[in-house]
Amino acid sequence: MRTLVVEDDLSTRRLVREVLERQGIEVYEACNVEEAMIALGERPADIVILDVTLPCGSGIEILTNLRQAGVASHVIVLSGASNEHDQVRAFELGADDYLVKPFSTRELTARVLAVRRRQRDSETSVLRFDGLEIDLSAARVLVHGRVVELPAKELALLAFLAVRPGHVFSRAQLLRAVWDSDPEWQSEATVTEHISRLRKKLAPGSDGPSVLHTVPGGGYRFDPPLDGAALDHRNEPGAMMFVGGVVVAADDAASELFGAPGPDALVGRHITDLISELVAAGSVDAALQRLALSAEGAEPRSQVLLFTRSEGRDVAVEVTTSPAMWDGRAALRLSLRRAVDESAHIRYLFTGVLSDLADAVIVTDMHDHIRSWNPGAERVYGWGEAEVLGRHINDVVVWAGSDEALTSARAEIEATGHWHGQGRQITRDGFTIAVQTTTNIVRDENGGAMGIVSVNRPVDLAMVASQAEPPAGDVADLRRGIAAGELIVHYQPIVDLAGRFIYAVEALVRWQHPARGLVGPDEFIPIAERCGLIGDIGAFVLEEACRQVGTWRNDGLNLTLAVNLSPKELADPGLVDRLETTASASGFDLHALWLEVTESALVEDVATAREQLHRLTALGVGISIDDFGTGWASLTYLREFPVHLLKIDRSFVRGIQHDTSAAAIASSIISLAAELKLFVVAEGIETEAEAKFLQALGCSIGQGYLFGHPTPAGVVDLSRVRPLLEPDRPVRQPAT
Ligand code: C2E
Ligand code: MG
Ligand code: MG
C-alpha cells in the first residue's frame, strides 16, 4: 500500500510520513505540483494526501489532472479552510475525503487505515472495524458476530458513511448520495429517521457512544470503533511514562522536546523535580496541580505548559495526561506535543484558571478552529474535548435564530475585539439553550491577535425576566431606610499572611433595619442596582468610609481602604468627579484607596469601563478585581485594563488544603498574578490550615474570619496595622 504526501510544509510532511510508516504503509513525498506529477508518473499511489495550498499552484490542480487521466487513487484533501464551499468543490472534482487543518495525525491515520482495510477486502467488499463488519456485496452487517438485518437504504447509508470515516455529511448531501434525491422533494427528516433506526439496530439498548455521531448544524459522521493499538494515540511520538511519580520510560521525541541528551537522561527523574526544573518560572505549582488533577480523570485531558529547554529557550508543549499501566502497576502517561500555533500561549494562560469553571470556556485560533474546550463546555454542549478539537467553532456551537444577529456580533468582534450579549444555541442533543456570552480577541504584548476566547454561561430567561422589577414595597422600604440613615459601614481587615499586620480594611455596607435587624448587602444591593438606588448607597459608603479611614490615617495608622463598586456605579459618568469631591472634602489621599470591581462590571460596556478605570488610576486609585476566578474571560481583562490586584474568590479558598480542584485554580491565579506583577489577596480565610496552604502557594495577603469579621468602626482591632509605608503598587499598562 503506497501513499504520496503532497505538502509544502516540511514538518507536516515528516510527521505524516512517520505516523503512516509506523502502520507499515509505504510513503513517498512531494512538495509542489510539478514534483507530485513526476512522482505519480514514476510510481502510482494507492492514496494521495493532498494539501490544497501549494507554492506555484494548488492541490486542486493535481486532483483535476489525476481524475482527467483516469487515475483511481484515493485522494484525501488537506485544507486550512473549513467552509462548505471548499468541501463541495473538492468532492465535485473527485476527492474522496477531506481533512481540515490543523488535523490530528490520529484522524488521518484512521482514514488511511480505513482505505487499506477496504482495499484488502476489495474482493469481497467487506469493511471491518472493531466489532463491526459491513459486507457490501452480501448486503450483510455483523455486530460482534451477530447478523443485523438492514433494509437496502439503511445499509447504503451506513456504508456511505463508513467508507468515509470521520467526515461530516449534511442531511442534504446524504439524501443526494444515498437516496439519489433532492431535499426539495424529499424531506431531510428521512435521513434523521434512518440514522436513529440504524443506531438502535447497531447498539440495541445501549446509551453508550454510537458509531454514528450527530454534528449539530453539520450532519452526521461515522466514527469507527477504536481497534486497539492501530488507532491508539499512544503511538504518536513524544511520550513519557511515570510510576509513583518517577520516569520509567521516555521516547526520543520527549527528550528532544526538553532538550535532554536522550531518553536515558530522563529515566529515574521525579516528576516534581523535572517540572520544577523545566516549567517556565512562576507556573510550577499550577503545572503540578493540573497534572495531578488530569491524571485522576478517566478521560485524557490536555493542557499547554511552557517549558524552558536546557539552552534557555521557552517552548509551548501540549501535555495530555492519562492513566496507564506499566509492568502491572498503575502508571501515568504524559503525551507531549510541541504546540506550534499562535494560540498556544493563551491556552497556556487559560489552563487552570478557567478550565474548571462551570461556564463553557472555548478558545479558538484566529481561523475559528477550536483549540481548547473545558469541562464546562462539555457539560453545556454535550461534546467531549477530543471530539471538537481542531473543528470549526460554527460546526460545534450552533446559534439558533437569525444570521444577522451573529453577523453583527462578528462585525463587532472584528471592529472592537469584544462582544458581550445574549443568544440561543443548540446543544448536541438538539436542545435550545439561552446563553450569556462574552467573546474577546486575546492579544499579545505587541497587540498581535493570538486567539479568541468565548465564555458562555447558560441563563434561565424566565429568571432574568422575573428579576427585572423588584417588588415596589421593597424599593420603598429601602428608599426610606437610606433617607432615615439606617445604612452603616462595617470594616474587615486585610492582612499580610506572614506578619499578620493589617494592610487595609474593606468597607462592607449593612442595613440596620428597625424590624428585620441587621440586613446583609446580598439582600439589598441587588434591589438597589435594579431600582436606581445603588448610586445613593455607593456615595454614602464612599463618603463614610473615606471619612472614617481618613481619621484613622490622620491618627498615624498606615491603612489602605477598599471599597466595592457595583457595575452600575462604574458605568456612571459622574463617578470620577464625585470621588474627587469626596476625597477633597475629607482630605483623603486617593493613593490609599482601592476600588473593587467584579469581572462582570468590566464586560458589560468594555469601552466605558476601560475609560473610567484609566481616569480612576490617573487619580492614584488602585483597582482590584473582586471574586476573581468566578467570572468571565478574566485574563483578557487583565491585559486590557489598568489593574493592580486580584482577589481570589472565597469559593476557591474554603477547604483548599483538601480540594485539589480549588487548589489548582488558586495556584494558577497566584502564578498568573506573579507573571503579570499583580498583588493577590485570598478572600474568606477561616482556618490556619487554609492560610498556611495559601502562603505555601505564594499568596501573601489574605482576608477572612480568621483575621477578623466585618465589624463597626469602633470595634475594629487596629493594634497591628502595618507599620511600614505601603510598597509601590505594581502598575501594568494595558496593551494598546
Ligand atoms: P465581597 O466584596 O466579596 O465581600 C466579601 C464578603 O465575604 C463579605 O460579605 C464578607 O463579610 C464575607 N467574608 C469575609 N470573610 C469571610 C470568611 O472568612 N468566611 C465567609 N464565609 N465569608 C467571609 P458581605 O459583607 O455579606 O458582602 C457581600 C457582598 O456584597 C460583597 O462581597 C460585595 O460584593 C457586596 N457589597 C458589600 N458592601 C458593598 C458596598 O458598599 N457597595 C457595593 N456595590 N457592594 C457591596
Ligand atoms: Mg469586595
Ligand atoms: Mg469578594
Side-chain angles (χ1 to χ4, degrees):
M1 170 114 187
R2 209 163 28 218
T3 299
L4 173 67
V5 181
V6 190
E7 160 69 76
D8 55 321
D9 178 59
L10 176 70
S11 59
T12 310
R13 219 162 59 218
R14 288 286 140 84
L15 184 67
V16 171
R17 170 188 276 259
E18 212 174 312
V19 292
L20 293 183
E21 282 183 346
R22 231 172 306 127
Q23 300 297 336
I25 292 166
E26 183 190 336
V27 178
Y28 59 126
E29 302 172 18
C31 63
N32 56 39
V33 177
E34 201 188 334
E35 262 186 48
M37 294 320 295
I38 293 172
L40 284 168
E42 286 169 359
R43 280 191 302 167
D46 301 294
I47 300 179
V48 181
I49 297 173
L50 209 51
D51 184 17
V52 168
T53 38
L54 291 169
C56 333
S58 134
I60 295 294
E61 215 176 296
I62 303 177
L63 178 62
T64 316
N65 290 346
L66 280 180
R67 293 307 185 227
Q68 276 171 0
V71 175
S73 309
H74 184 97
V75 176
I76 302 175
V77 168
L78 303 179
S79 160
S82 72
N83 68 53
E84 201 172 353
H85 177 75
D86 279 5
Q87 284 180 32
V88 171
R89 182 145 171 267
F91 279 121
E92 279 171 357
L93 290 170
D96 296 282
D97 204 347
Y98 189 93
L99 263 179
V100 176
K101 280 184 176 180
F103 57 91
S104 88
T105 49
R106 186 181 174 205
E107 194 172 343
L108 179 66
T109 312
R111 294 187 188 193
V112 170
L113 292 181
V115 178
R116 177 165 75 179
R117 214 182 270 123
R118 212 154 33 111
Q119 291 202 345
R120 281 186 183 163
D121 294 323
S122 59
E123 312 80 55
T124 51
S125 0
V126 178
L127 302 176
R128 278 201 188 85
F129 305 94
D130 206 25
L132 174 66
E133 204 176 291
I134 306 169
D135 186 334
L136 297 172
S137 54
R140 197 176 61 153
V141 172
L142 294 173
V143 174
H144 295 295
R146 172 183 59 85
V147 177
V148 176
E149 296 296 340
L150 295 180
K153 283 294 184 218
E154 275 169 32
L155 180 74
L157 177 61
L158 177 64
F160 181 85
L161 289 165
V163 165
R164 300 161 180 86
H167 197 91
V168 183
F169 291 94
S170 68
R171 290 175 185 80
Q173 284 171 324
L174 291 172
L175 268 186
R176 264 187 224 111
V178 179
W179 273 262
D180 207 10
S181 65
D182 198 283
E184 299 248 306
W185 57 272
Q186 180 137 22
S187 156
E188 291 184 12
T190 312
V191 178
T192 316
E193 174 59 26
H194 284 285
I195 290 275
S196 109
R197 286 192 203 167
L198 266 173
R199 281 188 185 134
K200 290 206 186 85
K201 289 175 189 168
L202 295 178
S206 149
D207 296 333
S210 161
V211 289
L212 298 170
H213 276 285
T214 307
V215 178
Y220 298 102
R221 185 180 77 214
F222 180 87
D223 285 343
L226 294 184
D227 53 356
L231 295 182
D232 200 320
H233 66 96
R234 290 161 202 198
N235 285 336
E236 290 196 12
M240 280 166 98
M241 190 74 92
F242 292 84
V243 171
V246 174
V247 183
V248 290
D251 64 9
D252 289 334
S255 66
E256 205 281 321
L257 263 180
F258 292 127
D264 289 348
L266 296 173
V267 171
R269 305 284 315 269
H270 195 276
I271 189 166
T272 316
D273 300 339
L274 207 59
I275 296 286
S276 311
E277 192 180 300
L278 293 169
V279 168
S283 311
V284 174
D285 290 332
L288 281 171
Q289 295 274 6
R290 301 283 324 153
L291 289 180
L293 259 190
S294 41
E296 284 168 12
E299 286 262 311
R301 293 211 67 86
S302 66
Q303 62 174 318
V304 175
L305 295 176
L306 275 193
F307 287 96
T308 306
R309 289 163 51 99
S310 48
E311 82 279 3
R313 203 155 43 87
D314 279 355
V315 290
V317 178
E318 181 138 16
V319 183
T320 309
T321 325
S322 49
M325 292 301 284
W326 181 264
D327 255 355
R329 281 178 298 164
L332 172 67
R333 162 181 286 277
L334 297 194
S335 305
L336 307 154
R337 205 159 53 87
R338 179 87 181 265
V340 283
D341 64 289
E342 64 226 347
S343 63
H345 194 72
I346 24 167
R347 278 184 290 146
Y348 158 68
L349 282 177
F350 276 76
T351 297
V353 178
L354 289 175
S355 64
D356 289 328
L357 283 188
D359 299 338
V361 181
I362 304 162
V363 181
T364 64
D365 58 25
M366 293 310 293
H367 310 293
D368 291 332
H369 290 123
I370 298 172
R371 310 301 300 157
S372 168
W373 180 261
N374 76 336
E378 293 186 9
R379 279 189 295 275
V380 172
Y381 298 105
W383 297 101
E385 187 183 37
E387 293 172 299
V388 302
L389 287 186
R391 306 203 48 179
H392 196 279
I393 182 85
N394 291 355
D395 288 351
V396 181
V397 177
V398 182
W399 285 80
S402 73
D403 284 350
E404 293 90 76
L406 197 56
T407 312
S408 85
R410 290 214 136 254
E412 192 174 327
I413 295 169
E414 266 162 37
T416 65
H418 305 278
W419 185 73
H420 178 70
Q422 212 165 62
R424 286 165 181 274
Q425 295 171 344
I426 298 162
T427 68
R428 180 182 204 162
D429 298 329
F431 292 112
T432 302
I433 52 166
V435 289
Q436 186 82 44
T437 294
T438 303
T439 297
N440 288 282
I441 293 184
V442 182
R443 300 180 186 280
D444 60 22
E445 274 89 285
N446 307 318
M450 295 198 293
I452 302 173
V453 176
S454 288
V455 180
N456 298 340
R457 172 175 293 184
V459 288
D460 183 346
L461 285 181
M463 207 179 75
V464 172
S466 78
Q467 278 182 349
E469 277 297 314
D474 291 358
V475 175
D477 194 25
L478 183 58
R479 182 169 288 122
R480 182 202 53 74
I482 297 172
E486 288 169 9
L487 294 188
I488 51 170
V489 179
H490 281 188
Y491 299 88
Q492 186 179 29
I494 297 176
V495 308
D496 147 86
L497 290 178
R500 302 286 161 97
F501 289 117
I502 299 181
Y503 196 87
V505 287
E506 177 172 3
L508 294 159
V509 69
R510 273 97 183 89
W511 181 6
Q512 189 66 66
H513 195 277
R516 295 162 65 194
L518 195 65
V519 180
D522 287 338
E523 285 184 56
F524 63 91
I525 293 278
I527 298 176
E529 280 181 338
R530 278 177 281 136
C531 70
L533 287 173
I534 190 67
D536 296 345
I537 297 181
F540 160 75
V541 173
L542 200 61
E543 258 170 52
E544 174 57 22
C546 283
R547 188 199 56 74
Q548 178 60 62
V549 177
T551 312
W552 283 330
R553 286 175 60 85
N554 288 340
D555 291 345
L557 296 173
N558 177 32
L559 270 181
T560 294
L561 165 65
V563 176
N564 294 283
L565 209 56
S566 87
K568 289 261 159 49
E569 290 174 271
L570 184 65
D572 175 6
L575 171 74
V576 175
D577 288 345
R578 214 176 56 226
L579 187 69
E580 276 192 290
T581 315
T582 309
S584 62
S586 59
F588 192 84
D589 177 4
L590 287 176
H591 290 87
L593 180 68
W594 286 341
L595 288 178
E596 301 193 353
V597 295
T598 54
E599 294 156 61
S600 53
L602 301 180
V603 297
E604 267 154 35
D605 182 352
V606 177
T608 309
R610 192 190 293 129
E611 191 193 320
Q612 290 276 65
L613 292 189
H614 277 294
R615 291 177 66 197
L616 290 169
T617 47
L619 297 177
V621 175
I623 303 296
S624 60
I625 304 205
D626 208 350
D627 309 336
F628 188 79
T630 61
W632 308 83
S634 336
L635 300 172
T636 313
Y637 299 102
L638 299 187
R639 292 184 174 280
E640 294 232 347
F641 295 100
V643 166
H644 311 97
L645 192 147
L646 304 181
K647 292 186 85 171
I648 304 177
D649 189 64
R650 63 175 188 267
S651 58
F652 306 122
V653 168
R654 191 175 311 127
I656 187 168
Q657 67 280 26
H658 310 300
D659 181 344
T660 34
S661 166
I665 296 176
S667 128
S668 300
I669 297 174
I670 294 165
S671 331
L672 179 78
E675 264 163 51
L676 299 178
K677 301 193 175 53
L678 305 177
F679 276 126
V680 56
V681 174
E683 294 184 312
I685 302 180
E686 295 184 3
T687 66
E688 279 296 345
E690 289 163 0
K692 290 259 147 49
F693 195 92
L694 283 154
Q695 236 185 312
L697 290 183
C699 176
S700 55
I701 312 176
Q703 177 181 2
Y705 298 162
L706 178 65
F707 318 112
H709 286 256
T711 47
V715 187
V716 187
D717 177 5
L718 293 174
S719 55
R720 283 180 66 79
V721 170
R722 195 177 170 90
L724 302 169
L725 275 178
E726 187 186 341
D728 283 348
R729 259 198 308 260
V731 180
R732 256 188 62 82
Q733 286 309 319
T736 42

